[in-house]
Structures are given as C-alpha cells and as structure tokens.
Amino acid sequence: MSTLTAAVLAAVDDTARPLLTYYGPDQRVGLSGATLENWAAKIANYLRDEAGLLPGDTVTVDLPEHWQSAAVLLGLWWAGLGVAGHDDDARVVFTTRDRLEEHPGAEELIVVPLDPFGGRVPDLPAFAGDFGDTVRPHGDRFFPSGGAGEALPGHTVEAVRERARAAATADGVTAGMRVLSTRPWRTADEIVAHLLGPLLSGAALVWVDPATGADLSAVAATENTDLILD
C-alpha cells in the first residue's frame, strides 16, 4: 500500500523548488521538496529504526501548524504509521516544551522547538528528548517497508487521498500552483483539506500564521502565489 508521503512526493514536479513555506511570528522558512523529503526521511528512520515502531502503529502529534509539524506528519506516514487520536497517547509523542506534562504515559517524548532551523530546546528534563538531537543523526533517505491502514483517526490512506483531492478541487487548487493559506490544520479534517489538499494536488503551500497579522496581499506578491485561501 502506498503511503501519503509517497503520494505527496510523487506529485512534486521539481524537488528543487519551494514546496512548503511557513510564515510565523518572526519567522519565514521555505523548504524545497528535497529538503522536506530529507526531514521526513530522518523522522521516518528514527521512528522505525530507533523507536521500533511497525506499520500500523500510531504516533501522537501534539503540535501547532509549523514546517516541523508537517515534517513530522510526512515522516510518520512514510514509515507506515498513523496519527493517534486526540485522547490516545501513543508510545511516541511529538510535542512542545510547554505541553510535556500533558503526556505522562508516553515512552518517548520528543520536544519540537518550532524555530526556523530546528535548533535545540534548552533545559529539557531527563525524560524528554530534543527533536534535533533525536532525528538529525538519522539518514536523509528512507525506504518504506509497509503502509498504515489509517493515516489519521477514522481516515484510511485511500480515503484521505480522495478527500484531500476533492477539497483541493473545490478550492480551485491545481498542480503547479503556489497557494497562500491561513487555514488551520490541527484536526484530522483540517489536515486532509488544508495541508494535504494542496500538496497531493501538486501545488506548493505558503502557510501564514494568522497570529502574525501579515498583510496577505503583500505576502502573495512577495511569494508570487496564485491563490489565497483564508
């Protein structure tokens, strides 16, 4: 069974071009298809080879919208894993420094810095792992060994692909576009429509955190986007 990540990568016509651009408070980070693929590979290799997860297992992703969150999702899907339900902590949890206490049952707590360069998180307790230290040593190529039944809670891989493409069609997203969006992607339905919709359609996504208060028209002009979804 093909993974969602394989489908996203297959839709990229030029891996050197920006695929995901993130605008956050005091941040602008642009990742080419190749760079995002490398991060996803490192995460997938960690989850399979170090954490020992098997296709069909789940991972908790307790993160806001960010380029690192997208990399985590693509990494776990590539390893044939699914996203755990909201109230169901999996063995491995990716979260932020301020939410560590929300996951007392996790075997592996990985703290994601949400900074522009994936740097280290200072002053972590002994029971938590740093995102950069944990995933960066792993290889930036990945060879999948199986697929998950459910990529998101209640959503099979095939259902996600169909729904994402339907959402993209409804929004007028087509291959080759650069799409500027402020739409959230934290819930399963939001991830399907607002993150995977553009990516599975072969479009590049420029995501702007509404908290920045950015002038979307100005961002659209700077990024040369074709469509604004807000």
Side-chain angles (χ1 to χ4, degrees), residues 2-191:
S2 178
T3 65
L4 286 176
T5 303
V8 167
L9 297 176
V12 177
D13 64 350
D14 183 350
T15 59
R17 292 180 180 173
L19 179 60
L20 176 64
T21 303
Y22 169 78
Y23 276 78
D26 302 317
Q27 291 189 44
R28 179 203 176 276
V29 182
L31 287 83
S32 67
T35 301
L36 190 56
E37 179 179 353
N38 289 347
W39 274 106
K42 288 178 180 295
I43 293 162
N45 280 314
Y46 156 71
L47 290 168
R48 183 181 65 185
D49 299 339
E50 184 174 334
L53 299 186
L54 300 173
D57 287 343
T58 58
V59 174
T60 295
V61 182
D62 181 16
L63 296 168
E65 301 89 341
H66 193 272
W67 73 262
Q68 291 172 323
S69 308
V72 168
L73 289 169
L74 291 172
L76 72 89
W77 288 327
W78 211 358
L81 309 173
V83 176
H86 180 70
D87 297 318
D88 178 26
D89 264 357
R91 284 172 48 202
V92 177
V93 174
F94 289 88
T95 190
T96 54
R97 178 68 176 82
D98 61 339
R99 292 190 58 79
L100 279 176
E101 303 303 325
E102 301 296 320
H103 305 283
E107 293 181 18
E108 298 285 342
L109 267 172
I110 309 303
V111 180
V112 181
L114 304 180
D115 72 11
F117 307 109
R120 301 189 78 253
V121 183
D123 302 320
L124 283 180
F127 61 83
D130 177 84
F131 176 79
D133 290 348
T134 300
V135 306
R136 200 184 297 274
H138 289 273
D140 55 11
R141 297 186 67 192
F142 183 72
F143 301 95
S145 54
E150 286 193 352
L152 293 159
H155 297 67
T156 65
V157 171
E158 288 306 313
V160 168
R161 291 175 68 171
E162 292 175 6
R163 293 183 60 189
R165 287 168 177 158
T169 297
D171 287 330
V173 177
T174 58
M177 276 188 169
R178 286 179 58 75
V179 178
L180 190 158
S181 173
T182 62
R183 293 178 177 179
W185 39 277
R186 297 198 189 190
T187 69
D189 288 341
E190 291 169 350
I191 290 170

